Amino acid sequence: MAIPKHANEQVVNYDAGLYNSDLAPVKKEKRNWTWLNFTTVWMGMVHNIVAYESAGSLIGMGMSVWQALLTVIVANIVLIIAMWLNGTAGAKYGTPFPVLIRASFGHKAAHIPVLLRAFVAIFWFAVQAYAGSKAIDAIFGALIPGWNSLSSINILGMGLNSAIAVTLFWLLHAWITSHGMERLKFFELWAGPLVIVLGLCLVVWALFVSHGFGPLFAEHSKLTNAEFWGLFPVSVTGLVGIWATLVLNIPDFTRFARSQKDQSIGQFIGLPGTAILFAIMSIITTSGTIIAFGRPIWDPVELLQQFGNPFILVLGAATLIIVTLSVNIAANVVSPAYDLVNLFPKKLTFTKAGVIAIVLSLFFAPWLWFDNSDTIFSIMGAVGGALGPVAGIMFADFYLVRRQNYDLDSFYLTQGQYTYKDGWNLNALYAMAIGTVISLIGLFVPALSSLYAYSWFLGVISGFIVYTLLMKNTMSSSVEINEERQSVSE
């Protein structure tokens, strides 16, 4: 495929199997996402049912408000550092994750981490979508007489009422996705801030029932110091693990950044800023439920139903629906959509691939195991842990091996700087395999079970170190070739 880079430059023959309009670098004039867009996108992603329940559940595990806040803050500091590290290349070159990963793995081997990430993202889409569909079910139950009686009619393992809610929610996702990234940008612009309003309302309620902040923050921890510090790394790793796929595919968003400054500021405000604020709301509200109901309630749908007011239930559940749409599309549709386009660039566009990912998620059938998901989440936690080494490899490749300089043309050439051995960089595969074993060894070796609490961190660090050592002999020659090609193009 012949592609002219600029009006006065020679035509570059890109391989049609590696290039199409969705995988191509975003043109400068179309890189129009400002810091506000990144802030609202992150607001939409972090303000969701799973994030709310995760923060609130820290109280349920016995932590005090201060201990829960410390856990959330540390997790978000780790996340923003990882997002910045991996988002820089996307903003610099305007390319998505499935393209950037070719530099370290080779254009053929790259399909392995790309497919792994797509699998995890589609799974999480199914989880979030089913959680959101329960809000639709709750609204219909409050407004339509006899709605809940439909549960006696079984459809594919769920009641007819749930089946209708699931169908409607999946169709809503497909409708928004069918309008591409631009529709997503404007959807997030108002969907993200909306949940702040709901969160503030719940905080006001919590303050009302507890007569101020004092009783909420005065609740003592139910854990000893030893128990808390034993639980702390597990909790931090769990909170980071929720966003393991986003650490990889953040270039899918930063490629649209107007500047590095826009994506840096926008992500800083949107991720640790609003995520910590949202966590504070969740923690305060959950603490309020202990005072109001005698037990911690961190499921927002259940909490809304506790009020016994149809208006509050409908309004709150509608907000949760919008919030879930927001996070699910941004976090769990964008990534597999680009992954599928990368696999079939001649046949798929971003929109088509996004709809396919939504359809594929149905095969996870979350309604069959959602309420008994301990085993499933353990398995998916292990699969998600395998993403840590991939992140470490990407960090090492961009900052050490390539010294923050990629050859843009080689991303789209079968015979280029990133060809390696017929499209396979065995060094990256070895580093990924070794990193995965190290990150998950605590899951399979009882004597090392304590290490599993640090699985994602172990994966990142080991992937980074092993890849750097294996690529040490080729680092100098790779950089010299890259710099020579860039000087010629300039």
Side-chain angles (χ1 to χ4, degrees), residues 404-459:
Q404 300 187 52
N405 286 302
Y406 283 140
D407 178 47
L408 195 57
D409 290 338
S410 289
F411 283 127
Y412 307 101
L413 299 173
T414 53
Q415 297 299 319
Q417 192 177 132
Y418 312 130
T419 300
Y420 299 104
K421 293 184 179 181
D422 193 29
W424 297 81
N425 183 9
L426 298 182
N427 288 337
L429 294 177
Y430 294 150
M432 182 179 174
I434 294 171
T436 301
V437 170
I438 292 175
S439 67
L440 301 181
I441 193 168
L443 188 63
F444 303 105
V445 180
L448 301 175
S449 60
S450 60
L451 292 179
Y452 191 59
Y454 308 91
S455 59
W456 186 84
F457 294 95
L458 289 173

Short mmCIF file of all heavy atoms in Angstrom, two decimals, residues 404-459:
data_model
loop_
_atom_site.label_atom_id
_atom_site.label_comp_id
_atom_site.label_asym_id
_atom_site.label_seq_id
_atom_site.Cartn_x
_atom_site.Cartn_y
_atom_site.Cartn_z
N GLN A 404 13.48 6.50 23.45
CA GLN A 404 12.32 7.31 23.12
C GLN A 404 12.27 7.72 21.65
O GLN A 404 11.67 8.73 21.29
CB GLN A 404 12.24 8.55 24.01
CG GLN A 404 12.14 8.23 25.50
CD GLN A 404 11.91 9.45 26.35
OE1 GLN A 404 11.01 10.23 26.08
NE2 GLN A 404 12.74 9.61 27.37
N ASN A 405 12.89 6.90 20.80
CA ASN A 405 12.85 7.17 19.36
C ASN A 405 12.46 5.91 18.60
O ASN A 405 13.19 4.92 18.61
CB ASN A 405 14.22 7.66 18.87
CG ASN A 405 14.52 9.09 19.27
OD1 ASN A 405 13.76 10.00 18.93
ND2 ASN A 405 15.60 9.28 20.01
N TYR A 406 11.29 5.96 17.97
CA TYR A 406 10.84 4.87 17.11
C TYR A 406 10.95 5.29 15.65
O TYR A 406 10.86 6.48 15.33
CB TYR A 406 9.38 4.51 17.40
CG TYR A 406 9.16 3.69 18.66
CD1 TYR A 406 8.08 3.96 19.49
CD2 TYR A 406 10.01 2.64 18.99
CE1 TYR A 406 7.85 3.20 20.64
CE2 TYR A 406 9.79 1.89 20.13
CZ TYR A 406 8.72 2.17 20.95
OH TYR A 406 8.51 1.42 22.08
N ASP A 407 11.14 4.30 14.78
CA ASP A 407 11.09 4.56 13.34
C ASP A 407 9.66 4.31 12.89
O ASP A 407 9.21 3.16 12.83
CB ASP A 407 12.06 3.64 12.60
CG ASP A 407 12.01 3.85 11.10
OD1 ASP A 407 12.03 5.01 10.67
OD2 ASP A 407 11.90 2.84 10.37
N LEU A 408 8.93 5.36 12.59
CA LEU A 408 7.50 5.25 12.33
C LEU A 408 7.19 4.34 11.15
O LEU A 408 6.25 3.54 11.20
CB LEU A 408 6.92 6.66 12.08
CG LEU A 408 5.39 6.79 12.15
CD1 LEU A 408 4.87 6.31 13.49
CD2 LEU A 408 4.99 8.24 11.91
N ASP A 409 7.96 4.44 10.08
CA ASP A 409 7.70 3.63 8.89
C ASP A 409 7.81 2.13 9.19
O ASP A 409 7.03 1.33 8.67
CB ASP A 409 8.67 3.99 7.76
CG ASP A 409 8.40 5.36 7.18
OD1 ASP A 409 7.26 5.85 7.33
OD2 ASP A 409 9.31 5.94 6.57
N SER A 410 8.76 1.76 10.04
CA SER A 410 8.99 0.34 10.31
C SER A 410 7.82 -0.35 10.99
O SER A 410 7.70 -1.57 10.94
CB SER A 410 10.26 0.17 11.17
OG SER A 410 11.42 0.47 10.43
N PHE A 411 6.95 0.42 11.62
CA PHE A 411 5.76 -0.18 12.23
C PHE A 411 4.87 -0.84 11.18
O PHE A 411 4.12 -1.77 11.48
CB PHE A 411 4.94 0.89 12.95
CG PHE A 411 5.49 1.30 14.29
CD1 PHE A 411 5.71 2.64 14.56
CD2 PHE A 411 5.78 0.37 15.27
CE1 PHE A 411 6.21 3.04 15.79
CE2 PHE A 411 6.30 0.75 16.50
CZ PHE A 411 6.51 2.09 16.76
N TYR A 412 4.94 -0.35 9.96
CA TYR A 412 4.02 -0.80 8.90
C TYR A 412 4.74 -1.54 7.78
O TYR A 412 4.18 -1.70 6.69
CB TYR A 412 3.28 0.42 8.34
CG TYR A 412 2.60 1.24 9.40
CD1 TYR A 412 3.15 2.44 9.87
CD2 TYR A 412 1.40 0.82 9.98
CE1 TYR A 412 2.53 3.19 10.86
CE2 TYR A 412 0.78 1.56 10.99
CZ TYR A 412 1.36 2.75 11.42
OH TYR A 412 0.74 3.48 12.40
N LEU A 413 5.96 -1.99 8.05
CA LEU A 413 6.74 -2.71 7.05
C LEU A 413 7.10 -4.09 7.56
O LEU A 413 7.55 -4.25 8.69
CB LEU A 413 8.03 -1.94 6.73
CG LEU A 413 7.88 -0.53 6.15
CD1 LEU A 413 9.24 0.16 6.07
CD2 LEU A 413 7.21 -0.58 4.79
N THR A 414 6.89 -5.11 6.72
CA THR A 414 7.28 -6.47 7.11
C THR A 414 8.79 -6.63 7.08
O THR A 414 9.34 -7.51 7.74
CB THR A 414 6.64 -7.51 6.18
OG1 THR A 414 6.95 -7.17 4.82
CG2 THR A 414 5.13 -7.55 6.36
N GLN A 415 9.47 -5.79 6.30
CA GLN A 415 10.92 -5.79 6.26
C GLN A 415 11.41 -4.42 6.72
O GLN A 415 11.72 -3.55 5.93
CB GLN A 415 11.43 -6.11 4.84
CG GLN A 415 11.06 -7.48 4.33
CD GLN A 415 11.63 -8.59 5.19
OE1 GLN A 415 12.78 -8.53 5.64
NE2 GLN A 415 10.85 -9.64 5.43
N GLY A 416 11.44 -4.25 8.01
CA GLY A 416 11.85 -2.98 8.59
C GLY A 416 12.67 -3.21 9.83
O GLY A 416 13.16 -4.31 10.10
N GLN A 417 12.81 -2.16 10.63
CA GLN A 417 13.66 -2.23 11.81
C GLN A 417 13.12 -3.18 12.86
O GLN A 417 13.86 -3.69 13.70
CB GLN A 417 13.79 -0.82 12.40
CG GLN A 417 14.86 -0.69 13.45
CD GLN A 417 15.00 0.73 13.96
OE1 GLN A 417 15.03 0.97 15.16
NE2 GLN A 417 15.05 1.68 13.05
N TYR A 418 11.80 -3.46 12.82
CA TYR A 418 11.19 -4.30 13.84
C TYR A 418 10.77 -5.67 13.28
O TYR A 418 9.85 -6.30 13.76
CB TYR A 418 9.97 -3.59 14.44
CG TYR A 418 10.27 -2.16 14.82
CD1 TYR A 418 9.44 -1.12 14.42
CD2 TYR A 418 11.41 -1.85 15.56
CE1 TYR A 418 9.73 0.20 14.76
CE2 TYR A 418 11.71 -0.54 15.90
CZ TYR A 418 10.86 0.48 15.49
OH TYR A 418 11.16 1.78 15.82
N THR A 419 11.49 -6.10 12.25
CA THR A 419 11.19 -7.41 11.64
C THR A 419 11.73 -8.55 12.50
O THR A 419 11.08 -9.59 12.64
CB THR A 419 11.81 -7.50 10.24
OG1 THR A 419 11.26 -6.47 9.43
CG2 THR A 419 11.51 -8.85 9.61
N TYR A 420 12.92 -8.36 13.09
CA TYR A 420 13.58 -9.40 13.87
C TYR A 420 13.71 -10.68 13.05
O TYR A 420 14.16 -10.63 11.91
CB TYR A 420 12.83 -9.64 15.18
CG TYR A 420 12.77 -8.41 16.07
CD1 TYR A 420 11.60 -7.66 16.17
CD2 TYR A 420 13.89 -8.00 16.78
CE1 TYR A 420 11.55 -6.51 16.98
CE2 TYR A 420 13.85 -6.86 17.58
CZ TYR A 420 12.68 -6.12 17.67
OH TYR A 420 12.63 -5.00 18.46
N LYS A 421 13.26 -11.83 13.58
CA LYS A 421 13.32 -13.08 12.83
C LYS A 421 11.95 -13.37 12.24
O LYS A 421 11.09 -13.97 12.88
CB LYS A 421 13.77 -14.23 13.74
CG LYS A 421 15.21 -14.11 14.22
CD LYS A 421 15.63 -15.32 15.03
CE LYS A 421 17.08 -15.19 15.47
NZ LYS A 421 17.52 -16.38 16.27
N ASP A 422 11.74 -12.90 11.03
CA ASP A 422 10.47 -13.11 10.32
C ASP A 422 9.29 -12.62 11.14
O ASP A 422 8.22 -13.22 11.17
CB ASP A 422 10.30 -14.59 9.97
CG ASP A 422 9.15 -14.80 8.96
OD1 ASP A 422 8.90 -13.89 8.15
OD2 ASP A 422 8.52 -15.86 9.02
N GLY A 423 9.46 -11.47 11.82
CA GLY A 423 8.37 -10.88 12.58
C GLY A 423 8.28 -11.32 14.03
O GLY A 423 7.33 -10.97 14.72
N TRP A 424 9.29 -12.08 14.51
CA TRP A 424 9.26 -12.61 15.88
C TRP A 424 10.51 -12.17 16.63
O TRP A 424 11.62 -12.50 16.24
CB TRP A 424 9.21 -14.14 15.87
CG TRP A 424 7.98 -14.70 15.25
CD1 TRP A 424 7.74 -14.87 13.91
CD2 TRP A 424 6.82 -15.18 15.93
NE1 TRP A 424 6.49 -15.41 13.71
CE2 TRP A 424 5.90 -15.61 14.94
CE3 TRP A 424 6.46 -15.29 17.26
CZ2 TRP A 424 4.65 -16.14 15.24
CZ3 TRP A 424 5.22 -15.82 17.58
CH2 TRP A 424 4.33 -16.24 16.57
N ASN A 425 10.34 -11.41 17.69
CA ASN A 425 11.45 -11.08 18.58
C ASN A 425 11.42 -12.05 19.75
O ASN A 425 10.63 -11.90 20.69
CB ASN A 425 11.34 -9.64 19.08
CG ASN A 425 12.54 -9.26 19.96
OD1 ASN A 425 13.51 -10.00 20.05
ND2 ASN A 425 12.46 -8.10 20.59
N LEU A 426 12.27 -13.06 19.68
CA LEU A 426 12.28 -14.10 20.70
C LEU A 426 12.66 -13.54 22.07
O LEU A 426 12.22 -14.05 23.11
CB LEU A 426 13.24 -15.22 20.30
CG LEU A 426 12.88 -15.96 18.99
CD1 LEU A 426 13.88 -17.07 18.73
CD2 LEU A 426 11.47 -16.52 19.08
N ASN A 427 13.44 -12.46 22.09
CA ASN A 427 13.81 -11.85 23.37
C ASN A 427 12.58 -11.38 24.14
O ASN A 427 12.48 -11.55 25.35
CB ASN A 427 14.75 -10.67 23.14
CG ASN A 427 16.14 -11.11 22.72
OD1 ASN A 427 16.55 -12.23 22.97
ND2 ASN A 427 16.87 -10.21 22.06
N ALA A 428 11.63 -10.77 23.41
CA ALA A 428 10.41 -10.29 24.05
C ALA A 428 9.56 -11.46 24.56
O ALA A 428 8.97 -11.39 25.64
CB ALA A 428 9.61 -9.43 23.08
N LEU A 429 9.48 -12.52 23.77
CA LEU A 429 8.70 -13.69 24.17
C LEU A 429 9.31 -14.37 25.39
O LEU A 429 8.59 -14.80 26.30
CB LEU A 429 8.60 -14.68 23.00
CG LEU A 429 7.80 -14.20 21.78
CD1 LEU A 429 7.85 -15.24 20.68
CD2 LEU A 429 6.35 -13.91 22.17
N TYR A 430 10.65 -14.46 25.42
CA TYR A 430 11.31 -15.04 26.59
C TYR A 430 11.05 -14.17 27.83
O TYR A 430 10.76 -14.69 28.92
CB TYR A 430 12.83 -15.13 26.35
CG TYR A 430 13.23 -16.10 25.27
CD1 TYR A 430 14.39 -15.88 24.51
CD2 TYR A 430 12.48 -17.24 25.00
CE1 TYR A 430 14.78 -16.76 23.51
CE2 TYR A 430 12.85 -18.13 23.99
CZ TYR A 430 14.00 -17.88 23.26
OH TYR A 430 14.39 -18.75 22.26
N ALA A 431 11.16 -12.86 27.66
CA ALA A 431 10.95 -11.94 28.79
C ALA A 431 9.51 -12.03 29.29
O ALA A 431 9.26 -12.00 30.50
CB ALA A 431 11.28 -10.51 28.38
N MET A 432 8.57 -12.15 28.36
CA MET A 432 7.16 -12.26 28.75
C MET A 432 6.91 -13.57 29.50
O MET A 432 6.21 -13.59 30.52
CB MET A 432 6.28 -12.19 27.51
CG MET A 432 4.79 -12.24 27.81
SD MET A 432 3.77 -12.11 26.31
CE MET A 432 2.13 -12.39 27.00
N ALA A 433 7.50 -14.66 29.00
CA ALA A 433 7.31 -15.96 29.65
C ALA A 433 7.92 -15.98 31.05
O ALA A 433 7.28 -16.42 32.01
CB ALA A 433 7.94 -17.06 28.78
N ILE A 434 9.15 -15.49 31.17
CA ILE A 434 9.82 -15.47 32.47
C ILE A 434 9.09 -14.54 33.44
O ILE A 434 8.86 -14.88 34.61
CB ILE A 434 11.30 -15.02 32.31
CG1 ILE A 434 12.08 -16.08 31.52
CG2 ILE A 434 11.94 -14.79 33.68
CD1 ILE A 434 13.48 -15.65 31.12
N GLY A 435 8.67 -13.37 32.94
CA GLY A 435 7.95 -12.42 33.77
C GLY A 435 6.62 -12.98 34.25
O GLY A 435 6.21 -12.75 35.40
N THR A 436 5.94 -13.73 33.39
CA THR A 436 4.66 -14.32 33.77
C THR A 436 4.84 -15.38 34.85
O THR A 436 4.06 -15.44 35.82
CB THR A 436 3.97 -14.95 32.54
OG1 THR A 436 3.76 -13.94 31.54
CG2 THR A 436 2.63 -15.57 32.91
N VAL A 437 5.88 -16.20 34.73
CA VAL A 437 6.16 -17.22 35.74
C VAL A 437 6.45 -16.57 37.09
O VAL A 437 5.92 -16.99 38.13
CB VAL A 437 7.35 -18.10 35.30
CG1 VAL A 437 7.80 -19.00 36.46
CG2 VAL A 437 6.97 -18.95 34.10
N ILE A 438 7.27 -15.52 37.06
CA ILE A 438 7.62 -14.83 38.31
C ILE A 438 6.39 -14.17 38.93
O ILE A 438 6.18 -14.24 40.15
CB ILE A 438 8.72 -13.79 38.06
CG1 ILE A 438 10.03 -14.49 37.68
CG2 ILE A 438 8.92 -12.89 39.28
CD1 ILE A 438 11.14 -13.55 37.28
N SER A 439 5.56 -13.54 38.11
CA SER A 439 4.39 -12.83 38.65
C SER A 439 3.34 -13.77 39.21
O SER A 439 2.60 -13.42 40.14
CB SER A 439 3.76 -11.94 37.57
OG SER A 439 3.20 -12.72 36.53
N LEU A 440 3.26 -14.99 38.67
CA LEU A 440 2.21 -15.92 39.08
C LEU A 440 2.70 -17.09 39.92
O LEU A 440 1.92 -17.96 40.28
CB LEU A 440 1.49 -16.47 37.84
CG LEU A 440 0.83 -15.43 36.90
CD1 LEU A 440 0.16 -16.14 35.74
CD2 LEU A 440 -0.17 -14.58 37.68
N ILE A 441 3.99 -17.09 40.24
CA ILE A 441 4.55 -18.25 40.95
C ILE A 441 3.88 -18.45 42.32
O ILE A 441 3.71 -19.57 42.78
CB ILE A 441 6.08 -18.10 41.10
CG1 ILE A 441 6.67 -19.45 41.54
CG2 ILE A 441 6.44 -16.97 42.07
CD1 ILE A 441 8.19 -19.49 41.43
N GLY A 442 3.46 -17.36 42.94
CA GLY A 442 2.80 -17.48 44.23
C GLY A 442 1.46 -18.15 44.17
O GLY A 442 0.93 -18.62 45.18
N LEU A 443 0.89 -18.23 42.96
CA LEU A 443 -0.41 -18.87 42.78
C LEU A 443 -0.28 -20.39 42.74
O LEU A 443 -1.22 -21.11 43.08
CB LEU A 443 -1.06 -18.36 41.48
CG LEU A 443 -2.50 -18.75 41.19
CD1 LEU A 443 -3.44 -18.18 42.25
CD2 LEU A 443 -2.92 -18.26 39.80
N PHE A 444 0.90 -20.86 42.34
CA PHE A 444 1.09 -22.31 42.14
C PHE A 444 2.04 -22.95 43.14
O PHE A 444 2.02 -24.17 43.31
CB PHE A 444 1.61 -22.56 40.72
CG PHE A 444 0.72 -22.00 39.64
CD1 PHE A 444 1.09 -20.85 38.95
CD2 PHE A 444 -0.49 -22.60 39.34
CE1 PHE A 444 0.26 -20.31 37.96
CE2 PHE A 444 -1.32 -22.07 38.36
CZ PHE A 444 -0.94 -20.92 37.67
N VAL A 445 2.88 -22.16 43.79
CA VAL A 445 3.82 -22.70 44.78
C VAL A 445 3.39 -22.22 46.16
O VAL A 445 3.56 -21.05 46.49
CB VAL A 445 5.27 -22.24 44.48
CG1 VAL A 445 6.22 -22.83 45.52
CG2 VAL A 445 5.67 -22.66 43.07
N PRO A 446 2.81 -23.09 46.98
CA PRO A 446 2.29 -22.69 48.29
C PRO A 446 3.30 -21.94 49.16
O PRO A 446 2.95 -20.98 49.84
CB PRO A 446 1.89 -24.02 48.93
CG PRO A 446 1.58 -24.91 47.76
CD PRO A 446 2.56 -24.52 46.71
N ALA A 447 4.56 -22.36 49.10
CA ALA A 447 5.58 -21.72 49.95
C ALA A 447 5.82 -20.27 49.55
O ALA A 447 6.33 -19.47 50.35
CB ALA A 447 6.89 -22.51 49.85
N LEU A 448 5.45 -19.91 48.32
CA LEU A 448 5.66 -18.55 47.82
C LEU A 448 4.34 -17.81 47.63
O LEU A 448 4.27 -16.82 46.90
CB LEU A 448 6.43 -18.59 46.49
CG LEU A 448 7.81 -19.25 46.52
CD1 LEU A 448 8.40 -19.33 45.11
CD2 LEU A 448 8.76 -18.47 47.45
N SER A 449 3.30 -18.28 48.27
CA SER A 449 1.97 -17.71 48.07
C SER A 449 1.91 -16.22 48.40
O SER A 449 1.11 -15.47 47.83
CB SER A 449 0.93 -18.46 48.90
OG SER A 449 1.25 -18.39 50.29
N SER A 450 2.75 -15.77 49.34
CA SER A 450 2.73 -14.35 49.72
C SER A 450 3.15 -13.45 48.56
O SER A 450 2.79 -12.26 48.53
CB SER A 450 3.66 -14.11 50.92
OG SER A 450 5.00 -14.48 50.60
N LEU A 451 3.89 -13.98 47.61
CA LEU A 451 4.35 -13.18 46.47
C LEU A 451 3.19 -12.81 45.53
O LEU A 451 3.29 -11.83 44.79
CB LEU A 451 5.42 -13.95 45.67
CG LEU A 451 6.76 -14.16 46.36
CD1 LEU A 451 7.69 -14.97 45.46
CD2 LEU A 451 7.40 -12.84 46.74
N TYR A 452 2.11 -13.58 45.58
CA TYR A 452 1.00 -13.32 44.66
C TYR A 452 0.34 -11.97 44.94
O TYR A 452 -0.29 -11.39 44.06
CB TYR A 452 -0.04 -14.44 44.76
CG TYR A 452 -1.08 -14.39 43.65
CD1 TYR A 452 -0.70 -14.45 42.32
CD2 TYR A 452 -2.43 -14.26 43.94
CE1 TYR A 452 -1.64 -14.39 41.30
CE2 TYR A 452 -3.38 -14.20 42.94
CZ TYR A 452 -2.98 -14.27 41.62
OH TYR A 452 -3.91 -14.20 40.61
N ALA A 453 0.53 -11.46 46.15
CA ALA A 453 -0.02 -10.15 46.49
C ALA A 453 0.64 -9.05 45.68
O ALA A 453 0.10 -7.95 45.53
CB ALA A 453 0.17 -9.86 47.98
N TYR A 454 1.83 -9.35 45.12
CA TYR A 454 2.58 -8.35 44.35
C TYR A 454 2.68 -8.75 42.88
O TYR A 454 3.59 -8.30 42.17
CB TYR A 454 4.00 -8.21 44.92
CG TYR A 454 4.05 -7.95 46.41
CD1 TYR A 454 4.12 -9.01 47.32
CD2 TYR A 454 4.02 -6.66 46.92
CE1 TYR A 454 4.17 -8.78 48.69
CE2 TYR A 454 4.06 -6.41 48.28
CZ TYR A 454 4.14 -7.48 49.16
OH TYR A 454 4.18 -7.25 50.50
N SER A 455 1.75 -9.59 42.41
CA SER A 455 1.88 -10.20 41.08
C SER A 455 2.09 -9.20 39.96
O SER A 455 2.98 -9.36 39.11
CB SER A 455 0.65 -11.07 40.79
OG SER A 455 -0.53 -10.30 40.83
N TRP A 456 1.28 -8.14 39.91
CA TRP A 456 1.41 -7.17 38.81
C TRP A 456 2.76 -6.47 38.87
O TRP A 456 3.43 -6.30 37.86
CB TRP A 456 0.28 -6.16 38.87
CG TRP A 456 0.27 -5.23 37.68
CD1 TRP A 456 -0.30 -5.45 36.46
CD2 TRP A 456 0.86 -3.92 37.62
NE1 TRP A 456 -0.10 -4.36 35.63
CE2 TRP A 456 0.61 -3.42 36.32
CE3 TRP A 456 1.57 -3.13 38.53
CZ2 TRP A 456 1.05 -2.15 35.92
CZ3 TRP A 456 2.01 -1.88 38.12
CH2 TRP A 456 1.75 -1.40 36.84
N PHE A 457 3.17 -6.08 40.08
CA PHE A 457 4.45 -5.39 40.23
C PHE A 457 5.61 -6.29 39.85
O PHE A 457 6.55 -5.87 39.18
CB PHE A 457 4.60 -4.91 41.68
CG PHE A 457 3.61 -3.86 42.08
CD1 PHE A 457 2.43 -4.21 42.71
CD2 PHE A 457 3.85 -2.53 41.81
CE1 PHE A 457 1.50 -3.25 43.08
CE2 PHE A 457 2.93 -1.55 42.17
CZ PHE A 457 1.75 -1.91 42.80
N LEU A 458 5.55 -7.56 40.30
CA LEU A 458 6.60 -8.52 39.95
C LEU A 458 6.68 -8.72 38.45
O LEU A 458 7.77 -8.84 37.87
CB LEU A 458 6.35 -9.85 40.65
CG LEU A 458 6.56 -9.88 42.16
CD1 LEU A 458 6.10 -11.21 42.73
CD2 LEU A 458 8.03 -9.63 42.50
N GLY A 459 5.50 -8.75 37.79
CA GLY A 459 5.48 -8.92 36.35
C GLY A 459 6.12 -7.76 35.62
O GLY A 459 6.91 -7.95 34.68
#
